[in-house]
Amino acid sequence: MNFSQLKQLAYALYLTNSFGLKLRQTEDPMEKKELRLAYSLAQLNALNITIDVENPEKIPKNGQYLLVSNHRTIIDPPIIEVALKDTNIFGLWVSKKELYNSLFFGLFVRNAGSVLIDREKEQMSSFFADIKKGVKEGNSIFIFPEGTRNKTDIPLTPFKEGARIIALKNRLPILPVYIKDNAAQILKDALADNSQKREITIAIGDMIDYKEKTDLEMIYKKRFDL
């Protein structure tokens, strides 16, 4: 690990925990949204990465949705936060137990607005109850239906069934987004040398009706020609 990488990681740790403390001070969703956006922009600016939004007109300004996205890097949530910056959409991130307990991300994740998913549990009833509570409070739900980061050479790994269940149980229209380019490689290069400006494109797809019976992964692939 070179000096630039160490410097970037130290700054990322500082940002994540300082914003985690700020987020702990408010329960207002729009204040949390503003703090999450400020954090996202600070992280991406430090990496010298800009976000280009393809088909921005397809992003609704208001309402509640199940946002589904592919997942390759730890900066995917900031990329999505920036894409939604001009909206009033606030979503609870579905987050794994490992992130809740992480020394690096724990403080931020626990306070930024999220729903804990523990895949080691045999029963998922408490998870779906937390989702329902969040939706009743007026929030959207943001999820990576692949379940974990895709570290393969294929554009998308199989979706878990949970995303479709969330949409159906809560009658949430599904907003598909797709982070294009090789975001994992771009992040790696930026950590090694942030002197060069880099860009990541996120595409917005047409809304999917929660009552749609076709397999969600199949629809998602069709939306983005994968």
Side-chain angles (χ1 to χ4, degrees), residues 63-124:
Q64 290 178 265
Y65 307 91
L66 175 68
L67 183 148
V68 297
S69 173
N70 61 320
H71 191 25
R72 280 194 177 271
T73 79
I74 59 173
I75 61 168
D76 290 345
I79 292 169
I80 292 168
E81 294 288 345
V82 171
L84 299 180
K85 65 183 177 65
D86 295 323
T87 77
N88 292 315
I89 300 170
F90 175 78
L92 302 177
W93 282 99
V94 174
S95 302
K96 296 185 296 184
K97 181 177 68 173
E98 293 85 349
L99 288 176
Y100 265 62
N101 298 330
S102 167
L103 290 174
F104 196 105
F105 291 109
L107 182 64
F108 186 93
V109 171
R110 289 193 299 271
N111 295 292
S114 58
V115 179
L116 170 66
I117 182 168
D118 184 353
R119 297 193 185 277
E120 294 176 2
K121 282 188 175 181
E122 292 185 8
Q123 299 294 326
M124 300 292 287

Side-chain angles (χ1 to χ4, degrees), residues 5-210:
Q5 289 170 316
L6 287 171
K7 184 178 177 182
Q8 289 281 356
L9 289 172
Y11 183 61
L13 179 62
Y14 161 73
L15 280 179
T16 302
N17 283 284
S18 61
F19 273 92
L21 289 170
K22 292 176 183 178
L23 285 158
R24 191 164 66 181
Q25 304 305 311
T26 180
E27 294 300 324
D28 182 82
M30 288 300 103
E31 289 182 10
K32 285 188 183 290
K33 178 181 173 67
E34 289 179 7
L35 286 168
R36 288 185 352 187
L37 176 60
Y39 165 80
S40 300
L41 290 170
Q43 288 282 25
L44 293 167
N45 287 340
L47 293 163
N48 206 4
I49 293 174
T50 58
I51 306 303
D52 176 60
V53 182
E54 196 174 275
N55 305 320
E57 71 281 358
K58 294 183 180 181
I59 306 177
K61 298 295 184 183
N62 301 284
Q64 290 178 265
Y65 307 91
L66 175 68
L67 183 148
V68 297
S69 173
N70 61 320
H71 191 25
R72 280 194 177 271
T73 79
I74 59 173
I75 61 168
D76 290 345
I79 292 169
I80 292 168
E81 294 288 345
V82 171
L84 299 180
K85 65 183 177 65
D86 295 323
T87 77
N88 292 315
I89 300 170
F90 175 78
L92 302 177
W93 282 99
V94 174
S95 302
K96 296 185 296 184
K97 181 177 68 173
E98 293 85 349
L99 288 176
Y100 265 62
N101 298 330
S102 167
L103 290 174
F104 196 105
F105 291 109
L107 182 64
F108 186 93
V109 171
R110 289 193 299 271
N111 295 292
S114 58
V115 179
L116 170 66
I117 182 168
D118 184 353
R119 297 193 185 277
E120 294 176 2
K121 282 188 175 181
E122 292 185 8
Q123 299 294 326
M124 300 292 287
S125 55
S126 61
F127 166 72
F128 287 112
D130 289 342
I131 291 284
K132 186 170 286 294
K133 179 176 181 291
V135 172
K136 282 188 175 181
E137 290 172 351
N139 303 301
S140 291
I141 303 295
F142 296 170
I143 191 170
F144 297 116
E146 292 169 285
T148 189
R149 276 182 280 165
N150 174 12
K151 298 179 182 180
T152 73
D153 293 330
I154 61 176
L156 199 70
T157 54
F159 281 9
K160 308 292 185 185
E161 183 60 25
R164 170 51 64 86
I165 295 172
I166 290 170
L168 281 170
K169 282 180 173 287
N170 298 278
R171 299 181 179 181
L172 290 173
I174 301 169
L175 176 61
V177 304
Y178 180 65
I179 299 170
K180 302 173 72 174
D181 310 306
N182 189 337
Q185 186 62 50
I186 290 172
L187 173 59
K188 183 179 179 180
D189 294 342
L191 285 170
D193 177 15
N194 68 342
S195 64
Q196 178 183 339
K197 185 176 288 296
R198 295 174 172 86
E199 183 178 87
I200 294 174
T201 299
I202 179 170
I204 313 300
D206 291 326
M207 201 74 70
I208 302 169
D209 194 312
Y210 71 88

